[in-house]
Amino acid sequence: MGLEFINRVIRTSLILAAVVLVFGSVYYDWRHAVGVSSGLVFGSVNLWFLMGLIKNTITPQPRRPLPILIISVVKFPVLYFVGYLLLRSGVAPVPSYVIGFTMLFAVILLKVLGRQLVDSSWMRVAEGRKGASQ
């Protein structure tokens, strides 16, 4: 699992944010749906900046300080200030932001469990039985 795994987690989280926004707005309360979706998007952007920071810091080539500085300045003060403004805005209840932010970790957990299931010997046995029965 490398950077492509993190990119898939971010992509899946953004798709989930769109689904939650649409269906949550229609079937529940639009304020909660906006909060959960905003939390998911905030977590995805935070993870993307973290991935860029790690990729530029831990590298076999000589480090370039300018991208590290730019990512650090955008991630830490700017992104977190935007998160503070989201919480203070009162558009959505604070627990809905927290739920959205923690849903990112649920996506990561489910992606890891899915990868483990696909690579497990149990799955090969199940595929072998399926092929033998046909």
Side-chain angles (χ1 to χ4, degrees), residues 16 90 125:
L16 180 61
V125 169

Side-chain angles (χ1 to χ4, degrees), residues 57-104:
T57 305
I58 304 172
T59 178
Q61 292 108 10
R63 283 189 220 138
R64 300 177 323 202
L66 186 62
I68 295 171
L69 180 67
I70 291 171
I71 292 172
S72 296
V73 166
V74 172
K75 178 185 174 9
F76 294 109
V78 174
L79 184 65
Y80 293 158
F81 183 68
V82 169
Y84 170 75
L85 291 178
L86 273 173
L87 290 173
R88 294 286 297 174
S89 69
V91 172
V94 173
S96 64
Y97 291 118
V98 174
I99 290 168
F101 189 72
T102 55
M103 282 177 74
L104 178 70

Side-chain angles (χ1 to χ4, degrees), residues 3 6-7 9-10 41-58 67-68 70-76 79-80 101 104-105 108:
L3 294 177
I6 296 173
N7 285 327
V9 166
I10 291 170
V41 170
F42 181 84
S44 298
V45 170
N46 192 19
L47 186 62
W48 185 75
F49 277 122
L50 184 64
M51 179 183 66
L53 189 61
I54 290 172
K55 186 170 46 172
N56 286 310
T57 305
I58 304 172
I68 295 171
I70 291 171
I71 292 172
S72 296
V73 166
V74 172
K75 178 185 174 9
F76 294 109
L79 184 65
Y80 293 158
F101 189 72
L104 178 70
F105 299 111
I108 293 171

Side-chain angles (χ1 to χ4, degrees), residues 116-129:
Q116 293 297 320
L117 181 64
V118 167
D119 293 341
S120 71
S121 60
W122 179 81
M123 192 65 149
R124 282 176 279 202
V125 169
E127 287 176 355
R129 289 182 186 163

